[in-house]
Amino acid sequence: MRTILLLLCLWNISICTRAQIEKHTRILEPSILVCQYDCVKKVDTLGTDTSEDRMILRIGKNASQFYAYSRFHNDSMCCDPKGKRMWGQMMVQAIRSRNYSSMPISRVISEYFYKNYPEGKITTLSSLGTTPCQIEEEYVPQDWKLADSTRTILGYSCQLAECHFRGRDYQAWFTPEIPLNEGPWKFNGLPGLIMEVYDTKHHYHFTLAGLQQSGTEPVCYYDFQSHYEKIGRIEYLKACRSNKGTNPEIRKRLNLDNPTPAKRNAQGQIIANDYLEKDYR
Amino acid sequence: MRPTGMTYKLLLVWSIATTCFSAMAQNNHTAMLKGTVSDQSNGKRLEAVNVLLYAGKGPKMIKFTTTGKEGTFSIQIPDSLIGKSYLQFSYMGYETLQRRTDGSNEWTVKLAAKEMEIREIIVKAPKVKAQGDTLIYDVRQFSKEGDRSIGDVLRRMPGIKTAENGQITYNGIPINRFYIENSDMLEGQYGLATHNLPNKEVGSVEILQNHQPVKALEGIAFSEQAAINLRLKEGAKHRWIGTLKLYAGIAPKEGLWNGQGAFMHFDKKHQNINTLKTNNTGQDTSHELNSFNRNTLRYRNRLLTEYIGITPPYSIGLDRERELMNHTYQMTTNHLFKPANEPDIKTSLTYQRHQEDAMKQTGYTYYESQEDGWNLYEQEESDYTKEQLSATVSTEINKPAYNLTEQFRIDMDWKSRDMNLNGGQANQQHLNSNGKKAVNDLFLLKRKGNNFFTVSSYIALNALPQRFNVQTKDAEVSQAINQKLLFTDNLCGWGFIAGRIVIDLNAGIAGMYKDMDSQLNNAGKDFDLSPTADMTLGHTKLSLTPKLSYTANDFQASLTLPAGYSNYRYETAGQKAAKHHYFSFSPSFYSSWRPGIRWEWFIQGGFSTQDINTRLFYPSDLLTTYRTIQRGLAEFCHTKVTTVNGGVKYNIPLKEYYSKLEVFQSWSAIPYTLVQNIKDGYIHSKYLPGERNIRQTSISGSISKGTDWAKTTGSLQAGWNKSSSYLLRNEKNIKNQLTSIHIEPEIDINPATWMNIRYTLTLDKEWMKVNETKKQESTCSLKQSLRIRIMPSERLNFSIKGEHYANQATGTDSHNFFLADMAFTYKLSKYVSLDGHIANLLNEKTYAYSSLSDEAMKINKWYNIRPRNILIGAYITF
């Protein structure tokens, strides 16, 4: 019954917030293809605990966008007073029913990525603490090396390629049958769509879950915050680690400046994970 | 000649070298294939076409490239693969083309447009997932060594702020409910939980944002307020949990104790919290009993207040604990019963007996001009006792179709104070009061579809008799006041949303009936006094409040237009009743604008016509202290207040820089003027009709910056305030202008993970100018505080604190006070800690300060403070 209520809520919100979302949306170009990826992150790199999110990749002729569905859902609800209220109620409902997984918030990747927008750049929209921020970097392909292995994923024949990118070694399975040089997150430059990509330590794993060519939404620039603070990529990652961007009063109360005892798993090992990009260290 | 070993080796090296060379030479035989790719139909060059080289078995992809801006490509292939490999050209929306490598180096490729069909893989809309880090706080993560109750941990959670009186706000807005395991047992009296519920028994704190406590209003009425829900650990349910605190100590003239016990039990059908507390260490436990129930807060100024000041005042600047000489006993018991399919029933009973002794000296100066004034000095020894008993029964049905909440509360208090006064006007005083209050609070809501109907009704019956006797060596003066009040407020409201505009409409009817009689004997014979009163005052008000709000991306604005019709009836013994009608209109607005990520501007303002001040509305003279007689103002007149407030914030969060500046201005037109006459040891105050304008201006700002060096944070707060007022004293016009500044820098350094140093300086300075003369009266108080906290091990926690106060008034020397405290906690086990505390190490005996009042007055006070004392004890959780 709760699930039905929740779905009704979602449907209701999707109608009432559509008008509001449009105010925050700038259509860049029509989509050629829309892909959905499951993104799994190891919460404890020594253990087995993972968290999961559904990601959307919209590919246009020139640019593409990549984001977590849950993040978009959350943002779109909160840009409308009625949606915000519904969001609050869904949250309450989820908390009351202890069904925490139904809470409307993102889990693994909370950024919006725009490849080749503006031309030759990757734009990332994120937030540091309570500060919305924007990161711009060069749009260049990874230095892919083709490997011998081939396999079939979801009926598409795929070939393996490898690269080292910003502190991690990756293996990507791409299909030349879909001749788009695109993939999840910042991956690009292979002669076919990336169907699956993961780092060799399996801390992050993207797997294609869906493909849609017709009746798709265009590639859109979601401008949920009216203003963004511009910041360099490395500076952003360092700031994430040191919880910058959070009001000093909150920092003080959270004791963010004092080291807290490390969280440990059942085996007594320290629970730790790192970002996708590790070159900030 | 047979080849020697040496020759073999040379031959081997030569043969290896020639093999490698020939292999390299072979590898160097590559061909560079270049070409262009264009659209077959129009010849337009195509960019980003995939060019793949396939060869061998499978065949296998060997290399790839893509076409550049002009549709050109180049790919290098070994000669050996020419004729045995092919190039594949693929591009979205075009037919894939394969061409065998035939030795030609220049390629012209034309692709035919073709709708490329991709085998779609349709997936269902993903389930909304959560990370749960913003709204569910893991208590363990926020707990620090030394935390005892959940209140200690709540203070550290983002967005949550606990005020000094115990009120919790989330993002600046007070919370509307405080649940434990989804049940609101304490109904606003949540200080009992935050102070007594051990943090180690709480698993998580949930912030329910935009919480609508009335289920039937969910989806209709939007709530800006949040609620807090404490989720207990599984092991903390279905058993008795609690804490015991047993401290003993010594002070020069007495033994000290501080004993506290909290016992609680939570299960599905029943919850209870019981506390027993007693101390003589200066701890004021009564703030735990403060209720933050919405209606209790809303109507507290509409109920009766004391005319005769019984409650002893606190000192300014100094911690209450340093000067409170008390004996306090407190008992509370709260229960919640949740029978299946029946309404929830909640009961609460609290009792407190609080006794305090005070010893202080006060000097007053009532100015008549800058140079001339009436001086008074007094030495006071007082013994104040308060007993307080409250009982509440409430019931709630909270269903999606309707809500019924009914609460009945009785409060009784008995206060008495005996005072011996020495100085200019030696006397003995006895004051007592016996307040009684019964409140019924009903809320009923019925919903059908999207239509709903609400009735809220608040009825209070309040009685507050007070007695005051002053015995001087010549005479006995007495004052008796009896006040009774019936107050009711009934409201209903609607609201709807239209795009970016939200419209709220509230209608209400309120009523008040006050009966008051007073008798003053033997006081102020030189004044023309009205010693008796026997009056009634009735008031009804109809009100309608429309509110319009507009929200856009960077801009928010709201306009509130409350209109009301008031009807008053005043009757005093032997006189014809007086009536008064009044229409009021009090518009207000708020607007904020964020032109960029770093800037935020806001402005708000309003004009209001206030209801008649019923506290001042009486016909007689009342003795409010042994030397002040206050005459009421039995005239119908309304104060008009206009306020404008604006400000700007500039933050660079990534550089840890935060700053704000705010300006406030108010103009009050008070339709009466304060007139004071000082004669025969009495100050007789009364109000005469005649408009008096009071103007207040204040500017405040703050700036803070964090650095990576030793994780240091520095901040500076500053404020400037100016107010001007006017009164008549001994038939002289006294204009008085009060200016004050406040400066507060603070620095927090963490030189090591086991050490924290915090230094704060507070400087307050006031100037008073009477009748625009050049000479000014001023006071200055400086407070410095340095705290060093050291945590040498996980079990031991040690802190030392030093405070320096320097208080000065014009023409007097600065009073300097040095106070120091030391404290330690040693954790014996998971359940038991050993605590030690030495207060006032330097054994300061008194504390003195001066302050100025906007009634052209200067007050100098000297308080006796707690001497050096040691307290040691155990803290046990179970």
Side-chain angles (χ1 to χ4, degrees):
Chain A
M1 188 62 197
R2 276 207 176 108
T3 318
I4 295 168
L5 275 172
L6 206 68
L7 287 173
L8 277 172
C9 266
L10 280 169
W11 176 73
N12 195 354
I13 288 161
S14 65
I15 292 169
C16 73
T17 58
R18 189 166 290 271
Q20 291 292 332
I21 297 167
E22 279 169 11
K23 287 174 196 151
H24 296 276
T25 303
R26 201 159 72 236
I27 295 175
L28 301 182
E29 58 181 341
S31 295
I32 299 172
L33 191 68
V34 174
C35 314
Q36 291 189 32
Y37 290 89
D38 279 328
C39 173
V40 180
K41 174 192 173 184
K42 240 185 194 178
V43 180
D44 172 10
T45 53
L46 295 172
T48 52
D49 285 357
T50 57
S51 57
E52 213 181 309
D53 216 341
R54 175 63 57 84
M55 312 300 298
I56 310 289
L57 171 67
R58 280 192 202 143
I59 307 167
K61 198 168 182 302
N62 301 303
S64 72
Q65 67 173 138
F66 182 73
Y67 60 91
Y69 178 80
S70 51
R71 172 67 196 241
F72 167 72
H73 194 270
N74 180 17
D75 284 345
S76 54
M77 265 200 281
C78 291
C79 66
D80 163 86
K82 204 168 175 181
K84 204 169 183 175
R85 190 177 71 228
M86 294 273 194
W87 183 87
Q89 283 167 8
M90 283 167 71
M91 192 62 93
V92 172
Q93 190 106 18
I95 292 167
R96 285 212 179 134
S97 61
R98 298 196 193 184
N99 183 11
Y100 302 129
S101 61
S102 67
M103 284 201 300
I105 28 184
S106 62
R107 188 179 274 257
V108 181
I109 292 176
S110 58
E111 292 98 345
Y112 291 86
F113 299 97
Y114 296 90
K115 275 181 267 183
N116 206 26
Y117 184 80
E119 203 182 333
K121 306 276 181 203
I122 298 179
T123 303
T124 307
L125 301 182
S126 182
S127 48
L128 270 171
T130 47
T131 312
C133 56
Q134 181 182 340
I135 303 131
E136 212 172 80
E137 61 189 286
E138 293 302 314
Y139 174 51
V140 282
Q142 286 76 22
D143 186 15
W144 294 106
K145 304 267 183 299
L146 293 176
D148 284 346
S149 312
T150 56
R151 69 185 253 234
T152 304
I153 299 173
L154 296 170
Y156 287 93
S157 60
C158 298
Q159 177 150 359
L160 183 69
E162 292 169 339
C163 76
H164 179 85
F165 185 60
R166 295 177 182 168
R168 290 181 191 273
D169 292 315
Y170 291 97
Q171 293 188 325
W173 294 91
F174 68 97
T175 176
E177 291 178 42
I178 303 172
L180 291 166
N181 312 3
E182 272 296 344
W185 188 51
K186 296 182 182 176
F187 296 116
N188 74 94
L190 279 169
L193 183 74
I194 297 175
M195 305 288 276
E196 190 173 343
V197 56
Y198 43 84
D199 68 305
T200 49
K201 289 182 177 167
H202 294 277
H203 292 169
Y204 289 89
H205 200 128
F206 297 90
T207 315
L208 188 89
L211 275 180
Q212 203 182 343
Q213 194 182 18
S214 53
T216 55
E217 297 272 320
V219 181
C220 300
Y221 189 80
Y222 294 127
D223 214 352
F224 287 113
Q225 305 289 337
S226 44
H227 306 283
Y228 293 86
E229 187 82 41
K230 283 196 172 159
I231 181 171
R233 186 180 63 82
I234 298 288
E235 200 188 343
Y236 165 75
L237 292 168
K238 281 184 178 166
C240 281
R241 259 290 174 255
S242 58
N243 300 303
K244 268 194 186 161
T246 307
N247 192 300
E249 203 180 305
I250 294 172
R251 289 173 69 87
K252 207 179 277 179
R253 280 202 216 122
L254 273 169
N255 206 17
L256 292 179
D257 296 327
N258 292 333
T260 43
K263 280 196 275 177
R264 289 175 190 275
N265 62 16
Q267 288 76 42
Q269 297 157 319
I270 291 173
I271 296 177
N273 57 56
D274 205 342
Y275 306 124
L276 267 159
E277 289 158 311
K278 300 206 289 183
D279 56 341
Y280 66 94
R281 285 171 177 275
Chain B
M1 195 177 75
R2 288 184 61 186
T4 61
M6 187 63 193
T7 318
Y8 272 125
K9 277 178 191 165
L10 280 170
L11 275 171
L12 194 67
V13 170
W14 180 81
S15 66
I16 290 170
T18 46
T19 313
C20 288
F21 181 77
S22 69
M24 279 166 71
Q26 207 166 9
N27 274 352
N28 277 342
H29 291 156
T30 57
M32 178 67 83
L33 308 187
K34 289 180 180 174
T36 55
V37 183
S38 54
D39 186 317
Q40 195 180 47
S41 58
N42 56 18
K44 199 179 155 193
R45 299 279 179 91
L46 297 173
E47 185 191 341
V49 177
N50 292 313
V51 183
L52 316 173
L53 175 69
Y54 282 93
K57 278 187 185 172
K60 224 173 77 181
M61 192 192 298
I62 308 287
K63 273 184 136 178
F64 70 91
T65 186
T66 50
T67 56
K69 281 206 168 172
E70 295 300 313
T72 56
F73 72 92
S74 62
I75 191 163
Q76 212 166 26
I77 66 166
D79 284 348
S80 57
L81 289 181
I82 289 177
K84 296 173 192 162
S85 61
Y86 63 88
L87 286 179
Q88 178 176 305
F89 300 87
S90 60
Y91 190 55
M92 205 66 187
Y94 288 84
E95 198 170 12
T96 301
L97 183 79
Q98 291 177 349
R99 266 173 64 179
R100 189 153 287 279
T101 50
D102 52 6
S104 61
N105 287 344
E106 287 297 325
W107 291 54
T108 305
V109 180
K110 290 191 165 34
L111 295 182
K114 187 192 174 191
E115 199 59 47
M116 184 179 255
E117 275 195 24
I118 287 172
R119 293 189 303 279
E120 293 196 343
I121 304 155
I122 303 298
V123 287
K124 282 182 191 166
K127 211 173 144 192
V128 181
K129 297 276 172 69
Q131 64 184 13
D133 60 353
T134 49
L135 291 146
I136 298 181
Y137 298 128
D138 183 356
V139 170
R140 209 177 33 179
Q141 220 177 332
F142 289 91
S143 296
K144 266 170 66 174
E145 281 305 318
D147 285 345
R148 298 279 159 87
S149 64
I150 189 65
D152 297 334
V153 186
L154 274 176
R155 261 181 218 112
R156 252 180 251 124
M157 292 183 172
I160 298 177
K161 206 166 188 174
T162 311
E164 260 180 50
N165 62 2
Q167 186 171 37
I168 299 176
T169 53
Y170 180 69
N171 284 342
I173 303 169
I175 59 163
N176 57 9
R177 292 286 168 114
F178 189 97
Y179 298 103
I180 303 171
E181 288 289 316
N182 291 330
S183 296
D184 181 21
M185 167 173 53
L186 300 168
E187 298 200 302
Q189 216 174 27
Y190 49 73
L192 285 169
T194 56
H195 284 92
N196 299 301
L197 185 58
N199 58 314
K200 70 174 186 64
E201 304 293 0
V202 183
S204 60
V205 173
E206 299 170 347
I207 310 292
L208 317 179
Q209 294 194 64
N210 305 112
H211 178 62
Q212 174 49 263
V214 180
K215 273 187 193 166
L217 281 176
E218 284 177 6
I220 299 181
F222 178 55
S223 167
E224 287 271 308
Q225 289 175 295
I228 283 181
N229 183 30
L230 302 184
R231 188 68 70 183
L232 301 177
K233 287 181 182 166
E234 279 308 311
K237 294 180 209 166
H238 311 289
R239 72 174 180 94
W240 283 94
I241 56 168
T243 57
L244 268 178
K245 177 174 157 179
L246 299 164
Y247 290 177
I250 42 165
K253 285 182 189 164
E254 59 175 347
L256 298 175
W257 75 81
N258 189 340
Q260 298 188 2
F263 314 91
M264 50 203 92
H265 194 274
F266 301 92
D267 63 38
K268 264 192 170 175
K269 293 196 168 170
H270 181 217
Q271 293 188 352
N272 68 63
I273 293 185
N274 311 284
T275 66
L276 275 172
K277 296 194 171 188
T278 175
N279 79 81
N280 68 345
T281 57
Q283 206 177 355
D284 185 5
T285 52
S286 54
H287 58 264
E288 285 181 21
L289 308 179
N290 289 342
S291 175
F292 302 105
N293 178 298
R294 192 163 159 250
N295 283 346
T296 306
L297 294 176
R298 181 191 285 179
Y299 298 120
R300 69 182 157 187
N301 293 331
R302 310 299 287 265
L303 302 181
L304 296 175
T305 51
E306 291 172 354
Y307 285 107
I308 302 166
I310 293 185
T311 313
Y314 301 173
S315 69
I316 297 174
L318 195 69
D319 281 349
R320 175 105 170 110
E321 214 162 317
R322 293 208 188 270
E323 50 104 353
L324 179 64
M325 317 280 183
N326 68 317
H327 287 87
T328 304
Y329 307 88
Q330 186 177 299
M331 187 281 289
T332 68
T333 175
N334 289 65
H335 293 261
L336 164 71
F337 303 93
K338 297 170 80 174
N341 304 320
E342 299 283 332
D344 291 357
I345 297 166
K346 299 165 204 174
T347 62
S348 151
L349 187 70
T350 63
Y351 171 78
Q352 190 198 46
R353 185 188 154 81
H354 174 79
Q355 185 267 325
E356 67 180 77
D357 300 323
M359 204 179 274
K360 65 172 189 278
Q361 299 161 54
T362 317
Y364 298 91
T365 306
Y366 289 82
Y367 290 96
E368 286 179 23
S369 68
Q370 192 72 50
E371 285 81 24
D372 190 18
W374 181 54
N375 291 304
L376 186 70
Y377 169 77
E378 60 194 35
Q379 258 182 318
E380 172 195 313
E381 254 180 79
S382 78
D383 176 1
Y384 166 72
T385 308
K386 178 180 78 172
E387 281 186 86
Q388 194 180 320
L389 180 71
S390 303
T392 311
V393 180
S394 60
T395 174
E396 183 173 12
I397 307 172
N398 197 4
K399 299 239 160 113
Y402 74 104
N403 178 288
L404 172 74
T405 311
E406 157 70 23
Q407 189 193 65
F408 182 69
R409 182 179 172 93
I410 290 178
D411 290 295
M412 284 189 280
D413 60 57
W414 297 266
K415 294 178 187 173
S416 78
R417 191 171 169 204
D418 288 304
M419 210 173 349
N420 269 328
L421 204 76
N422 291 310
Q425 290 172 277
N427 60 45
Q428 279 91 47
Q429 299 170 37
H430 176 73
L431 308 90
N432 73 56
S433 79
N434 175 14
K436 293 180 271 296
K437 193 164 66 187
V439 173
N440 193 71
D441 195 350
L442 171 76
F443 179 81
L444 176 69
L445 181 141
K446 181 88 182 103
R447 179 177 175 176
K448 203 175 177 188
N450 272 345
N451 300 312
F452 65 95
F453 171 70
T454 64
V455 177
S456 75
S457 168
Y458 181 89
I459 303 170
L461 272 170
N462 194 185
L464 184 60
Q466 289 192 284
R467 300 284 177 272
F468 185 17
N469 283 295
V470 185
Q471 182 74 53
T472 60
K473 59 181 181 194
D474 309 320
E476 186 183 345
V477 180
S478 68
Q479 172 73 65
I481 305 170
N482 290 310
Q483 298 181 75
K484 288 176 204 125
L485 176 87
L486 167 68
F487 172 77
T488 177
D489 192 17
N490 308 281
L491 289 162
C492 57
W494 307 267
F496 63 93
I497 298 164
R500 288 175 184 267
I501 296 169
V502 181
I503 298 165
D504 279 303
L505 198 64
N506 279 291
I509 176 163
M512 188 275 292
Y513 179 82
K514 183 180 174 180
D515 181 302
M516 178 173 161
D517 59 72
S518 71
Q519 179 67 48
L520 172 65
N521 295 319
N522 297 333
K525 284 172 188 146
D526 294 340
F527 296 102
D528 175 23
L529 297 181
S530 311
T532 56
D534 184 3
M535 60 154 273
T536 58
L537 177 68
H539 173 215
T540 48
K541 185 176 184 178
L542 297 169
S543 63
L544 192 67
T545 310
K547 184 180 172 190
L548 217 77
S549 314
Y550 175 82
T551 314
N553 289 351
D554 302 336
F555 184 74
Q556 275 189 331
S558 72
L559 181 68
T560 313
L561 304 163
Y565 168 71
S566 288
N567 181 19
Y568 291 88
R569 188 176 191 278
Y570 165 64
E571 201 170 352
T572 184
Q575 282 185 26
K576 205 183 155 210
K579 287 180 183 170
H580 174 66
H581 306 272
Y582 193 75
F583 282 98
S584 62
F585 180 58
S586 307
S588 65
F589 72 96
Y590 173 84
S591 158
S592 74
W593 179 48
R594 284 196 75 164
I597 180 85
R598 295 176 178 180
W599 291 96
E600 186 179 347
W601 298 81
F602 81 92
I603 184 159
Q604 62 185 338
F607 167 79
S608 68
T609 309
Q610 295 178 349
D611 287 342
I612 282 167
N613 186 340
T614 54
R615 185 184 145 78
L616 292 182
F617 205 99
Y618 57 89
S620 61
D621 288 285
L622 302 177
L623 186 75
T624 53
T625 72
Y626 77 95
R627 56 180 165 74
T628 52
I629 299 171
Q630 178 78 56
R631 163 108 30 111
L633 177 72
E635 299 275 343
F636 295 105
C637 49
H638 302 267
T639 299
K640 290 175 180 148
V641 182
T642 309
T643 58
V644 182
N645 176 210
V648 59
K649 286 182 191 170
Y650 180 74
N651 298 334
I652 317 173
L654 304 180
K655 306 257 182 242
E656 295 182 58
Y657 173 86
Y658 295 83
S659 59
K660 67 177 176 190
L661 184 73
E662 214 174 311
V663 180
F664 173 85
Q665 173 83 54
S666 77
W667 299 266
S668 306
I670 301 172
Y672 45 81
T673 302
L674 177 65
V675 179
Q676 286 184 337
N677 287 306
I678 301 170
K679 213 174 0 170
D680 192 25
Y682 284 103
I683 302 154
H684 183 234
S685 302
K686 59 185 176 183
Y687 298 99
L688 288 182
E691 200 164 273
R692 177 168 58 130
N693 291 309
I694 292 181
R695 195 173 149 167
Q696 196 190 345
T697 313
S698 68
I699 300 171
S700 61
S702 70
I703 185 164
S704 87
K705 172 87 179 94
T707 67
D708 289 335
W709 183 81
K711 286 174 187 158
T712 303
T713 313
S715 68
L716 174 72
Q717 285 181 49
W720 175 86
N721 186 64
K722 187 177 177 180
S723 64
S724 55
S725 174
Y726 165 81
L727 66 107
L728 277 168
R729 183 169 285 156
N730 284 351
E731 288 159 14
K732 287 180 192 157
N733 283 338
I734 297 174
K735 276 188 188 168
N736 109 61
Q737 199 179 71
L738 197 67
T739 311
S740 64
I741 58 161
H742 171 84
I743 299 170
E744 191 178 329
E746 186 184 279
I747 186 156
D748 189 291
I749 312 170
N750 295 282
T753 52
W754 47 269
M755 191 179 199
N756 172 267
I757 302 170
R758 180 174 292 180
Y759 172 77
T760 315
L761 185 144
T762 314
L763 176 74
D764 284 288
K765 204 162 163 66
E766 287 180 312
W767 293 271
M768 186 170 64
K769 205 154 93 172
V770 178
N771 290 344
E772 292 170 1
T773 48
K774 279 188 181 167
K775 198 181 154 204
Q776 294 190 104
E777 194 66 41
S778 71
T779 65
C780 176
S781 68
L782 173 85
K783 179 184 174 183
Q784 298 182 78
S785 162
L786 176 72
R787 194 200 66 181
I788 301 171
R789 196 159 167 244
I790 299 166
M791 295 144 275
S793 79
E794 275 192 12
R795 283 175 179 267
L796 187 66
N797 186 331
F798 178 80
S799 74
I800 184 157
K801 186 170 139 185
E803 287 176 355
H804 168 231
Y805 297 82
N807 299 335
Q808 192 183 18
T810 323
T812 59
D813 290 336
S814 174
H815 295 283
N816 283 287
F817 308 95
F818 295 91
L819 298 166
D821 301 324
M822 255 167 60
F824 79 88
T825 298
Y826 184 74
K827 221 170 154 180
L828 287 171
S829 74
K830 201 177 161 189
Y831 303 102
V832 185
S833 308
L834 200 65
D835 294 349
H837 191 256
I838 308 174
N840 196 0
L841 268 169
L842 306 171
N843 209 18
E844 283 278 3
K845 299 281 192 311
T846 55
Y847 172 74
Y849 68 91
S850 303
S851 63
L852 300 166
S853 130
D854 63 357
E855 286 183 3
M857 267 174 83
K858 185 168 87 174
I859 304 156
N860 298 310
K861 285 200 176 187
W862 293 263
Y863 275 87
N864 276 12
I865 59 174
R866 285 190 165 271
R868 183 191 299 139
N869 61 76
I870 301 172
L871 210 60
I872 288 177
Y875 187 89
I876 303 157
T877 55
F878 56 88

